Amino acid sequence: MFFHNSKLQYEVRVEKPNPLFAKMLQQAIGGVEGEIRVAMQYFFQAMGARGNPKYRDLLIATATEELSHIEFLGHAVALNLEKAPAHMKDEAAKDPVVAAILGGMNPRHLLSSGLSAMPVNANGVPFDMSHVYATGNLGADMLANATAEAGGRVLASRLYELTDDPGMKDMLSFLIARDTMHQQQWLAVIEENGGFEGTLPIPNSTPQSAEATEHSYVFLNTSLDKEAPQGRWTSGPSLDGRGQFSMRPAQPMGQEPSLGKARPDSGAQKEQM
Amino acid sequence: MFFHNSKLQYEVRVEKPNPLFAKMLQQAIGGVEGEIRVAMQYFFQAMGARGNPKYRDLLIATATEELSHIEFLGHAVALNLEKAPAHMKDEAAKDPVVAAILGGMNPRHLLSSGLSAMPVNANGVPFDMSHVYATGNLGADMLANATAEAGGRVLASRLYELTDDPGMKDMLSFLIARDTMHQQQWLAVIEENGGFEGTLPIPNSTPQSAEATEHSYVFLNTSLDKEAPQGRWTSGPSLDGRGQFSMRPAQPMGQEPSLGKARPDSGAQKEQM
Amino acid sequence: MFFHNSKLQYEVRVEKPNPLFAKMLQQAIGGVEGEIRVAMQYFFQAMGARGNPKYRDLLIATATEELSHIEFLGHAVALNLEKAPAHMKDEAAKDPVVAAILGGMNPRHLLSSGLSAMPVNANGVPFDMSHVYATGNLGADMLANATAEAGGRVLASRLYELTDDPGMKDMLSFLIARDTMHQQQWLAVIEENGGFEGTLPIPNSTPQSAEATEHSYVFLNTSLDKEAPQGRWTSGPSLDGRGQFSMRPAQPMGQEPSLGKARPDSGAQKEQM
Amino acid sequence: MFFHNSKLQYEVRVEKPNPLFAKMLQQAIGGVEGEIRVAMQYFFQAMGARGNPKYRDLLIATATEELSHIEFLGHAVALNLEKAPAHMKDEAAKDPVVAAILGGMNPRHLLSSGLSAMPVNANGVPFDMSHVYATGNLGADMLANATAEAGGRVLASRLYELTDDPGMKDMLSFLIARDTMHQQQWLAVIEENGGFEGTLPIPNSTPQSAEATEHSYVFLNTSLDKEAPQGRWTSGPSLDGRGQFSMRPAQPMGQEPSLGKARPDSGAQKEQM
Amino acid sequence: MFFHNSKLQYEVRVEKPNPLFAKMLQQAIGGVEGEIRVAMQYFFQAMGARGNPKYRDLLIATATEELSHIEFLGHAVALNLEKAPAHMKDEAAKDPVVAAILGGMNPRHLLSSGLSAMPVNANGVPFDMSHVYATGNLGADMLANATAEAGGRVLASRLYELTDDPGMKDMLSFLIARDTMHQQQWLAVIEENGGFEGTLPIPNSTPQSAEATEHSYVFLNTSLDKEAPQGRWTSGPSLDGRGQFSMRPAQPMGQEPSLGKARPDSGAQKEQM
Amino acid sequence: MFFHNSKLQYEVRVEKPNPLFAKMLQQAIGGVEGEIRVAMQYFFQAMGARGNPKYRDLLIATATEELSHIEFLGHAVALNLEKAPAHMKDEAAKDPVVAAILGGMNPRHLLSSGLSAMPVNANGVPFDMSHVYATGNLGADMLANATAEAGGRVLASRLYELTDDPGMKDMLSFLIARDTMHQQQWLAVIEENGGFEGTLPIPNSTPQSAEATEHSYVFLNTSLDKEAPQGRWTSGPSLDGRGQFSMRPAQPMGQEPSLGKARPDSGAQKEQM
């Protein structure tokens, strides 16, 4: 069960409100790299957690933290919108800077939300929950979480670079740090379970009989004009210690597909029957 | 530039066509764990690849392979639909097995596609390209790719378990093997670049000054009634070798947010002004 | 800032696990009438709240409660999936009840989530955040919230009717009660601000000069063959006390639209130019 | 059955075509506050109307009017696009006002629609029909309709404030007036059926036995550090006259959730089994 | 401006209500082949029509008719749901036919709409307005409309085949006939403007200088192992009379793409810089 | 099965990188008129092709070519982003041209993709696969393909007009030419199967008994105030040679719909029962 403290997890100061930066910050709220996604992803993974209950605790604790990130980012968006222009009358249209702001800001910050944050990304596209990855497989979920935090830290670093507002830089430096920790903690679960050797291939419970292992450690080169790129994946032991990497040009092993004629009365054209 | 060979990458046999299994197989084509996603994800990553060109080659080679996976899975869906019932007339409605099939199959396999595969998941929801993760950061992208392949192998293992058609089992055992290799190869790129120590935190190019490092290796426990879950993430050196893990109860560090009164003429209620 | 207690807000018992009911319960999590929606709607309204701060507190307090509703419903979904069939082998296919369950349950509960809740509705369509209504106008938001809770209580009542599992009925009776309260509290804000007379029209701050008031209290009948339906809206004082209702057949007041010819080089056909 | 008159419901004049305002007007067509939504919402409610047939007539009459609103707004968008720049050649790029317009307008007004209206919102996101709320419950639907009209009038008021084109102001003042009436008429249905006391809780047909009424009129405070906000919802009779409001700190009443171990062969990691 | 007559365009009779058929009929309302799509597509094309005004009249007249198709199909869905089971209690679960219906019907017909039509397809996926194709080019739009009607008539034919309810068959035979006419009328516009020779290539206003005509009538064979398929498109005069068809194996004409190194501070990994 | 050559199908040169044009080019990648759509549409049609196998070959050959179009367009987007501003610091904000670029470019080209192409349209909306039209009916599919190519060529012509970069103009002139050919080839399939007379109505296999042919060739005029627009569709033989066109004012042929009262316990309001 959730509870709330009226203070923000981190202080939010905006010295130079900037409606364009408000639009950009939305990516950190409602983008696929954003906080709604991680909050909900960890929450749903927690609700489906089976096995050692400490992972459930880990997930729900961090889900809860991410909800607090949404909250202070939402405040940052609203503060950046404080002085947004609300009309496009003649004098405004003639000032190119105002025109650029009016054209460049998210129009729905004016029209729909009344100058506050929305659950959308920097293009104004609403977040959709299909991005909540929760498979019931601990390894797959930990990789998904590290991925989300990697994307999140890339985004926060880019936002940090974009702004020169000291308050925003300070807030983003906190987010960057938390994303560092969250990358660490999800990968630490993999370390704790034996690293790549213990974890891979995911799922590690698939019976050997279900895998055509002659295809499991071979890099297939589908290029018609280049050699296979050489690297850790083309020779030496596999990361799971179960095989040896090799490589081979790809080639068809199957039939030419054919579905024959269409059924009568199946809604096809007569000439297909 | 792409080319095509008329044969499938792998042979597809369906001994007992099953429209319900056709619906389930759609998840491997148009689901977030499916082949359209990985084909497009590796393709877009390749188009944005900067740095060592061999990673571009690796990405495009496997993108090309995944297109071939869509193709043989699409054939498998069509073959599973071969004997699907096309009417729900009285005699059919009275046979509970036929009724269950008619109710349980994807109705659009009858109505929209003419008994063939669609770019949708097992719920009939079309794939949307927001799931193509391509950040321009090699580390983030490799984790995203390993995640996609982990999800893919979880799915293929579940599909393998669901069916007892020998042809389908054979095809899925090939997919399971390829997903093994693809998990390996993306993580091998991380290994090649120094493993977690060299790669983390992602991006590893964020200047130290942009990070509030006092928050970078601390697990924050937001639970009101439980101790922080203990593990690799609560003590010892961090995975990147830059810090030491610790833990601490979470607490607010920011202000209580306030936006004051609404602007006159901003479309709010008078009582907010 | 958010915190978490490890216990659920309400007890969840499932005596007869039912994968079909699990699918139906998803509507209460990820449907437009569901708990993700209200949690996020109240949260975003709170983040944009301007005016009397007690409404912000009211919103965030209930947003927090709704997060707890997601949590216990998610547990209920997982418990209903406990004994779901995981294969469709011959013996299963011959049992019409098993066949009906396999066809009728959400296949992604098997394939994607590993037998646990997902942020999707009863059709498996992911929740999308465009349903988070937060306008910055207190009156509009309170109506939106009452609407959400009305839809929620209709849904919970229908779910109550569908099941005869005593644990599920008990849990739903709690949800029905909370939806009662939440309908009340949002409408109570309107009462507190003068009821319909004080609140309407929303926004009540639109200057009189911006409204063509001769059209403000007239029911326009667009029917060609029936009289206007008579009711509270066709005569008597308006609900806001500012006018008198009347009615009138609708008729065009504007021009026949014409855009003339297409610009040369605008990508139209020559015959349009 | 529908019919059409070739004239618009209201006159549309645009004196100073403005492609940025065209983008903003799209919110009133294809936004969640827009006319497609209300037209379709009232239409689908009418098609599902059960009970007194006059409400069906009311719904379909206004659905029909809203279709006419789409039509004149669509004309307004096209007229605002009349002089949009169609190229970004050197001389244009150097004029900051032209650059701001080219960057700020909806690029698909140039690229996709040939300078006319689209069924999208101000961000270019297509309207999706999940926003058509029609529950089969008269009370829930009337609140949903009042909500839609409240959002619509907030939007129209903001658009009125943004522009100083007299033709656009005139057209919006008509929309503002019609939204006033439509708010009134949907709430008038609630008045006619006994107001809040007769209507609440929605649905008012849920049997008393299905409701844990000890939780029906209690405000739960989930805040850890603040008193419950005081208001009409914390004491006194409930709006439906069935109870007395009270308040109480929220606390868990349920168990700590546990799903135990994962099933073998369920696609989880071995360590979860 | 639109008006409404209280009678349906066509009579709707359902002799044997069938909730599964109700689900299937939804495809004709909210599917991409459905009536919402064509109604809105013709409406938006009409609003953007430039050139000879009779095409605007043609479009709006048929848009209006399609609205009436939504209306009678919506009634058909509701009538098919008349006797849908509303509970899944023990006795029901034991009857495999009832179980198959409960599992097979759209659960939201029970949970969300109160046994009436929704603006969704047969999978319960809401219609989204990105399927409204309106380019401002008369030729492209007429092809899009013929496509929509072709898909619509394929669907209606399949629905006709699925049911043996005489009332439903009668209603569908009307839809099939109207789809015939609508295919005809849109292609007749192309005939009237000179057929393929006058219309193609679309747009026929693109200046010759903008087209690399040496690539305009050549079939490129990308197959590695098969000859180009022979047909009307490989030799003889082109359909627009401007060229001669030929064929040729496809081959790369461009460079190997390279983006070089990533910018410092662009959020990439160090090893990409 | 697919293979890849490391060179692009066509050369890509960008002389004056322009982030606004990069945004516009996205429409040709991830828009409904774009290359992902046609690549996937032809691919899925090929996978479902029944009847003469040469059409399968034709479809897959061109699907493969379209993948190569995505590839060179993706490179063009990245090259146009080469010099995009990466910060909005004070000096930048004061330069109106830089401000216009920062506001006008797709912010996710900075924030999410690291200056490379994304599978989104010019509004940043991700492509969704519901736009892949593949019905299993050869005639419907060929019309859908010609429609897609018509939209594609309209778009490419508009992009050609927008830019004055010689490299971009050259690349677009190639696309315009290929779209010419692809329009031709799909319509050539219709010619080969007897033109409109042989192909229409689609499907041409619907039994005559399933069609209420008295409604098949009649233009219904739903206008209240205008004569039916006269044209090829109002008199003379139908395009399929099966009938004679005529016209008639539309009028209701059905009943006034009524659903009676709501079921008790269906979640409706009492007053509906």
Side-chain angles (χ1 to χ4, degrees), chain E residues 169-185:
Chain E
K169 276 186 161 338
D170 182 55
M171 179 191 79
L172 289 163
S173 74
F174 177 71
L175 270 184
I176 288 168
R178 296 309 297 153
D179 288 354
T180 295
M181 178 59 194
H182 294 158
Q183 287 176 29
Q184 298 275 328
Q185 73 186 47

PDB file of all heavy atoms in Angstrom, chain E residues 169-185:
ATOM      1  N   LYS E 169     -28.326 -11.674 -42.665  1.00  0.00           N
ATOM      2  CA  LYS E 169     -27.968 -11.858 -44.070  1.00  0.00           C
ATOM      3  C   LYS E 169     -28.602 -10.757 -44.928  1.00  0.00           C
ATOM      4  O   LYS E 169     -27.967 -10.222 -45.841  1.00  0.00           O
ATOM      5  CB  LYS E 169     -28.412 -13.252 -44.550  1.00  0.00           C
ATOM      6  CG  LYS E 169     -27.407 -14.365 -44.222  1.00  0.00           C
ATOM      7  CD  LYS E 169     -27.836 -15.679 -44.856  1.00  0.00           C
ATOM      8  CE  LYS E 169     -26.764 -16.743 -45.005  1.00  0.00           C
ATOM      9  NZ  LYS E 169     -25.378 -16.451 -45.020  1.00  0.00           N
ATOM     10  N   ASP E 170     -29.824 -10.428 -44.622  1.00  0.00           N
ATOM     11  CA  ASP E 170     -30.502  -9.387 -45.398  1.00  0.00           C
ATOM     12  C   ASP E 170     -29.790  -8.040 -45.253  1.00  0.00           C
ATOM     13  O   ASP E 170     -29.509  -7.359 -46.243  1.00  0.00           O
ATOM     14  CB  ASP E 170     -31.957  -9.274 -44.918  1.00  0.00           C
ATOM     15  CG  ASP E 170     -32.732  -8.251 -45.719  1.00  0.00           C
ATOM     16  OD1 ASP E 170     -32.761  -8.365 -46.957  1.00  0.00           O
ATOM     17  OD2 ASP E 170     -33.295  -7.318 -45.111  1.00  0.00           O
ATOM     18  N   MET E 171     -29.469  -7.691 -44.019  1.00  0.00           N
ATOM     19  CA  MET E 171     -28.787  -6.414 -43.798  1.00  0.00           C
ATOM     20  C   MET E 171     -27.417  -6.382 -44.502  1.00  0.00           C
ATOM     21  O   MET E 171     -27.039  -5.385 -45.120  1.00  0.00           O
ATOM     22  CB  MET E 171     -28.599  -6.180 -42.294  1.00  0.00           C
ATOM     23  CG  MET E 171     -27.879  -4.892 -41.952  1.00  0.00           C
ATOM     24  SD  MET E 171     -27.410  -4.840 -40.180  1.00  0.00           S
ATOM     25  CE  MET E 171     -25.934  -5.894 -40.198  1.00  0.00           C
ATOM     26  N   LEU E 172     -26.722  -7.510 -44.421  1.00  0.00           N
ATOM     27  CA  LEU E 172     -25.396  -7.544 -45.048  1.00  0.00           C
ATOM     28  C   LEU E 172     -25.491  -7.497 -46.566  1.00  0.00           C
ATOM     29  O   LEU E 172     -24.622  -6.928 -47.234  1.00  0.00           O
ATOM     30  CB  LEU E 172     -24.626  -8.781 -44.579  1.00  0.00           C
ATOM     31  CG  LEU E 172     -24.172  -8.685 -43.108  1.00  0.00           C
ATOM     32  CD1 LEU E 172     -23.804 -10.066 -42.565  1.00  0.00           C
ATOM     33  CD2 LEU E 172     -22.984  -7.728 -42.960  1.00  0.00           C
ATOM     34  N   SER E 173     -26.561  -8.061 -47.121  1.00  0.00           N
ATOM     35  CA  SER E 173     -26.698  -8.007 -48.591  1.00  0.00           C
ATOM     36  C   SER E 173     -26.913  -6.560 -49.046  1.00  0.00           C
ATOM     37  O   SER E 173     -26.527  -6.197 -50.158  1.00  0.00           O
ATOM     38  CB  SER E 173     -27.833  -8.909 -49.067  1.00  0.00           C
ATOM     39  OG  SER E 173     -29.081  -8.325 -48.771  1.00  0.00           O
ATOM     40  N   PHE E 174     -27.508  -5.752 -48.180  1.00  0.00           N
ATOM     41  CA  PHE E 174     -27.632  -4.317 -48.500  1.00  0.00           C
ATOM     42  C   PHE E 174     -26.262  -3.642 -48.451  1.00  0.00           C
ATOM     43  O   PHE E 174     -25.883  -2.888 -49.347  1.00  0.00           O
ATOM     44  CB  PHE E 174     -28.611  -3.655 -47.523  1.00  0.00           C
ATOM     45  CG  PHE E 174     -28.757  -2.166 -47.736  1.00  0.00           C
ATOM     46  CD1 PHE E 174     -29.407  -1.655 -48.852  1.00  0.00           C
ATOM     47  CD2 PHE E 174     -28.236  -1.259 -46.812  1.00  0.00           C
ATOM     48  CE1 PHE E 174     -29.531  -0.281 -49.051  1.00  0.00           C
ATOM     49  CE2 PHE E 174     -28.351   0.113 -46.999  1.00  0.00           C
ATOM     50  CZ  PHE E 174     -29.010   0.607 -48.125  1.00  0.00           C
ATOM     51  N   LEU E 175     -25.507  -3.944 -47.408  1.00  0.00           N
ATOM     52  CA  LEU E 175     -24.162  -3.358 -47.294  1.00  0.00           C
ATOM     53  C   LEU E 175     -23.277  -3.760 -48.471  1.00  0.00           C
ATOM     54  O   LEU E 175     -22.509  -2.958 -48.997  1.00  0.00           O
ATOM     55  CB  LEU E 175     -23.480  -3.820 -46.008  1.00  0.00           C
ATOM     56  CG  LEU E 175     -23.686  -2.976 -44.766  1.00  0.00           C
ATOM     57  CD1 LEU E 175     -22.849  -3.546 -43.628  1.00  0.00           C
ATOM     58  CD2 LEU E 175     -23.305  -1.516 -45.001  1.00  0.00           C
ATOM     59  N   ILE E 176     -23.379  -5.038 -48.860  1.00  0.00           N
ATOM     60  CA  ILE E 176     -22.581  -5.521 -49.990  1.00  0.00           C
ATOM     61  C   ILE E 176     -22.926  -4.720 -51.249  1.00  0.00           C
ATOM     62  O   ILE E 176     -22.046  -4.312 -52.014  1.00  0.00           O
ATOM     63  CB  ILE E 176     -22.795  -7.044 -50.168  1.00  0.00           C
ATOM     64  CG1 ILE E 176     -22.090  -7.802 -49.023  1.00  0.00           C
ATOM     65  CG2 ILE E 176     -22.295  -7.524 -51.532  1.00  0.00           C
ATOM     66  CD1 ILE E 176     -22.451  -9.282 -48.919  1.00  0.00           C
ATOM     67  N   ALA E 177     -24.207  -4.487 -51.438  1.00  0.00           N
ATOM     68  CA  ALA E 177     -24.635  -3.719 -52.611  1.00  0.00           C
ATOM     69  C   ALA E 177     -24.138  -2.278 -52.551  1.00  0.00           C
ATOM     70  O   ALA E 177     -23.666  -1.721 -53.542  1.00  0.00           O
ATOM     71  CB  ALA E 177     -26.159  -3.742 -52.716  1.00  0.00           C
ATOM     72  N   ARG E 178     -24.236  -1.668 -51.393  1.00  0.00           N
ATOM     73  CA  ARG E 178     -23.782  -0.277 -51.295  1.00  0.00           C
ATOM     74  C   ARG E 178     -22.269  -0.191 -51.490  1.00  0.00           C
ATOM     75  O   ARG E 178     -21.767   0.778 -52.059  1.00  0.00           O
ATOM     76  CB  ARG E 178     -24.178   0.355 -49.948  1.00  0.00           C
ATOM     77  CG  ARG E 178     -25.690   0.476 -49.720  1.00  0.00           C
ATOM     78  CD  ARG E 178     -26.408   1.128 -50.876  1.00  0.00           C
ATOM     79  NE  ARG E 178     -25.993   2.511 -51.098  1.00  0.00           N
ATOM     80  CZ  ARG E 178     -26.045   3.138 -52.277  1.00  0.00           C
ATOM     81  NH1 ARG E 178     -26.467   2.501 -53.358  1.00  0.00           N
ATOM     82  NH2 ARG E 178     -25.655   4.388 -52.389  1.00  0.00           N
ATOM     83  N   ASP E 179     -21.552  -1.192 -51.013  1.00  0.00           N
ATOM     84  CA  ASP E 179     -20.103  -1.184 -51.225  1.00  0.00           C
ATOM     85  C   ASP E 179     -19.776  -1.349 -52.708  1.00  0.00           C
ATOM     86  O   ASP E 179     -18.795  -0.791 -53.198  1.00  0.00           O
ATOM     87  CB  ASP E 179     -19.434  -2.295 -50.415  1.00  0.00           C
ATOM     88  CG  ASP E 179     -19.422  -1.984 -48.920  1.00  0.00           C
ATOM     89  OD1 ASP E 179     -19.821  -0.879 -48.519  1.00  0.00           O
ATOM     90  OD2 ASP E 179     -19.018  -2.864 -48.138  1.00  0.00           O
ATOM     91  N   THR E 180     -20.583  -2.128 -53.404  1.00  0.00           N
ATOM     92  CA  THR E 180     -20.417  -2.206 -54.859  1.00  0.00           C
ATOM     93  C   THR E 180     -20.527  -0.809 -55.469  1.00  0.00           C
ATOM     94  O   THR E 180     -19.651  -0.366 -56.212  1.00  0.00           O
ATOM     95  CB  THR E 180     -21.512  -3.114 -55.464  1.00  0.00           C
ATOM     96  OG1 THR E 180     -21.314  -4.439 -54.991  1.00  0.00           O
ATOM     97  CG2 THR E 180     -21.444  -3.100 -56.991  1.00  0.00           C
ATOM     98  N   MET E 181     -21.617  -0.116 -55.145  1.00  0.00           N
ATOM     99  CA  MET E 181     -21.822   1.217 -55.724  1.00  0.00           C
ATOM    100  C   MET E 181     -20.686   2.156 -55.342  1.00  0.00           C
ATOM    101  O   MET E 181     -20.206   2.925 -56.169  1.00  0.00           O
ATOM    102  CB  MET E 181     -23.154   1.786 -55.252  1.00  0.00           C
ATOM    103  CG  MET E 181     -23.420   3.195 -55.761  1.00  0.00           C
ATOM    104  SD  MET E 181     -23.428   3.270 -57.604  1.00  0.00           S
ATOM    105  CE  MET E 181     -23.328   5.052 -57.888  1.00  0.00           C
ATOM    106  N   HIS E 182     -20.269   2.097 -54.086  1.00  0.00           N
ATOM    107  CA  HIS E 182     -19.244   3.056 -53.672  1.00  0.00           C
ATOM    108  C   HIS E 182     -17.899   2.763 -54.335  1.00  0.00           C
ATOM    109  O   HIS E 182     -17.169   3.682 -54.690  1.00  0.00           O
ATOM    110  CB  HIS E 182     -19.159   3.099 -52.142  1.00  0.00           C
ATOM    111  CG  HIS E 182     -20.406   3.659 -51.513  1.00  0.00           C
ATOM    112  ND1 HIS E 182     -20.777   3.421 -50.221  1.00  0.00           N
ATOM    113  CD2 HIS E 182     -21.388   4.455 -52.023  1.00  0.00           C
ATOM    114  CE1 HIS E 182     -21.921   4.041 -49.961  1.00  0.00           C
ATOM    115  NE2 HIS E 182     -22.313   4.667 -51.040  1.00  0.00           N
ATOM    116  N   GLN E 183     -17.565   1.484 -54.515  1.00  0.00           N
ATOM    117  CA  GLN E 183     -16.364   1.193 -55.326  1.00  0.00           C
ATOM    118  C   GLN E 183     -16.496   1.852 -56.700  1.00  0.00           C
ATOM    119  O   GLN E 183     -15.578   2.507 -57.200  1.00  0.00           O
ATOM    120  CB  GLN E 183     -16.187  -0.315 -55.529  1.00  0.00           C
ATOM    121  CG  GLN E 183     -15.726  -1.092 -54.298  1.00  0.00           C
ATOM    122  CD  GLN E 183     -15.656  -2.600 -54.549  1.00  0.00           C
ATOM    123  OE1 GLN E 183     -15.433  -3.053 -55.674  1.00  0.00           O
ATOM    124  NE2 GLN E 183     -15.841  -3.382 -53.499  1.00  0.00           N
ATOM    125  N   GLN E 184     -17.668   1.642 -57.297  1.00  0.00           N
ATOM    126  CA  GLN E 184     -17.908   2.181 -58.633  1.00  0.00           C
ATOM    127  C   GLN E 184     -17.750   3.697 -58.676  1.00  0.00           C
ATOM    128  O   GLN E 184     -17.112   4.250 -59.562  1.00  0.00           O
ATOM    129  CB  GLN E 184     -19.351   1.843 -59.065  1.00  0.00           C
ATOM    130  CG  GLN E 184     -19.649   0.366 -59.160  1.00  0.00           C
ATOM    131  CD  GLN E 184     -19.260  -0.227 -60.489  1.00  0.00           C
ATOM    132  OE1 GLN E 184     -19.311   0.449 -61.515  1.00  0.00           O
ATOM    133  NE2 GLN E 184     -18.832  -1.475 -60.486  1.00  0.00           N
ATOM    134  N   GLN E 185     -18.369   4.364 -57.723  1.00  0.00           N
ATOM    135  CA  GLN E 185     -18.429   5.816 -57.877  1.00  0.00           C
ATOM    136  C   GLN E 185     -17.066   6.473 -57.730  1.00  0.00           C
ATOM    137  O   GLN E 185     -16.756   7.438 -58.421  1.00  0.00           O
ATOM    138  CB  GLN E 185     -19.484   6.426 -56.953  1.00  0.00           C
ATOM    139  CG  GLN E 185     -19.123   6.449 -55.505  1.00  0.00           C
ATOM    140  CD  GLN E 185     -20.291   6.945 -54.650  1.00  0.00           C
ATOM    141  OE1 GLN E 185     -21.430   6.520 -54.793  1.00  0.00           O
ATOM    142  NE2 GLN E 185     -20.009   7.847 -53.721  1.00  0.00           N
TER     143      GLN E 185
END
